[in-house]
Amino acid sequence: MTAVFSHGRLRLYLLKLLDDGPKHGYELIRLLEDRFLGLYAPSAGTIYPRLQRLEVEGLVSHTAAGGRKVYEITDAGRAELRQRAEELATLESDITASVEDLSALAGEIRTEVRGSVRDLKRELREAARQTRQARWAPPPPPTTRPPRNGAPGPAAESPLLAEFDKRLAAFTVEVGALVRAGRLTDTQLRTAIRLLDGALDGLRRLLR
């Protein structure tokens, strides 16, 4: 409940609203929401217990209509409003000030959220740009290694090494794209990591 309705002031305002005519509980909630420009709305758990207490005190009564309780102010309720007219005027002034404060706060929050969203979009665009650059970057030039166990030298290996590097780069890009597009679960990612580890172990054994 908003602070402006502390110390029993909501009870007084409900009497004021009912003085304008009979209403059921949800009509009172909607009127309060409209009064606060949609920035505050009391819950049913806030309104109905107070209406019941007002009824016990003889300040309101209710009739059943369409499955709902319609509340109406009594003569005793109107008498209390007259006795507390000055307090009600102060309450109306406090509500107006509270609405202005809430509107200003809502404007600040909207501005901050818009700024955060812009920052997030900018970061996402930059991440996407970097991903595209990495995906289409040319593979690194093949490294020159000394012959092993009498195998042909770098000049003879050059075409196959170039093909290997090309396939390796394509494999890396495609696997990365598939994993990210597939939104894999943690279990699936662990399985994919084990498959990559297995392939690496196989290559190590081959090159021993």
Side-chain angles (χ1 to χ4, degrees):
M1 183 173 65
T2 181
V4 75
F5 284 139
S6 60
H7 307 298
R9 299 173 92 190
L10 178 57
R11 174 182 180 276
L12 177 61
Y13 205 73
L14 289 174
L15 287 176
K16 183 261 183 189
L17 293 175
L18 290 173
D19 192 39
D20 295 333
K23 296 172 182 66
H24 57 72
Y26 281 99
E27 284 181 298
L28 293 168
I29 291 173
R30 188 172 65 251
L31 287 170
L32 282 163
E33 185 176 9
D34 291 344
R35 181 67 179 86
F36 281 84
L37 304 180
L39 300 172
Y40 163 76
S43 66
T46 298
I47 294 298
Y48 282 104
R50 284 167 173 77
L51 289 172
Q52 290 169 3
R53 284 198 291 272
L54 288 171
E55 189 169 12
V56 169
E57 295 169 8
L59 302 178
V60 303
S61 61
H62 84 268
T63 56
R68 290 181 173 179
K69 290 182 178 181
V70 177
Y71 293 88
E72 184 175 1
I73 192 169
T74 63
D75 290 340
R78 291 189 180 90
E80 178 163 337
L81 280 179
R82 288 194 297 271
Q83 293 169 4
R84 302 176 65 183
E86 185 175 344
E87 185 180 346
L88 182 59
T90 301
L91 176 56
E92 285 284 11
S93 177
D94 290 347
I95 290 175
T96 299
S98 178
V99 170
E100 291 174 354
D101 290 342
L102 288 171
S103 297
L105 178 60
E108 292 174 5
I109 292 173
R110 281 193 295 268
T111 300
E112 184 175 346
V113 168
R114 282 196 294 267
S116 299
V117 170
R118 283 194 299 269
D119 292 341
L120 178 59
K121 287 180 177 178
R122 184 166 57 250
E123 292 174 5
L124 289 174
R125 285 196 298 268
E126 178 62 20
R129 185 185 65 79
Q130 293 178 1
T131 300
R132 287 194 299 270
Q133 287 180 345
R135 180 174 298 176
W136 299 112
T143 57
T144 302
R145 291 180 295 181
R148 184 191 295 243
N149 298 329
E157 289 181 346
S158 176
L160 287 177
L161 280 175
E163 180 65 18
F164 176 81
D165 287 333
K166 179 180 176 182
R167 296 289 183 89
L168 180 60
F171 175 83
T172 302
V173 170
E174 185 169 351
V175 169
L178 288 172
V179 169
R180 286 170 176 78
R183 298 182 183 275
L184 302 182
T185 64
D186 289 347
T187 300
Q188 290 171 324
L189 281 172
R190 291 190 192 97
T191 301
I193 290 170
R194 285 197 297 270
L195 288 173
L196 290 175
D197 288 342
L200 182 59
D201 287 341
L203 285 172
R204 285 171 179 160
R205 288 193 296 270
L206 177 66
L207 296 174
R208 283 177 185 168

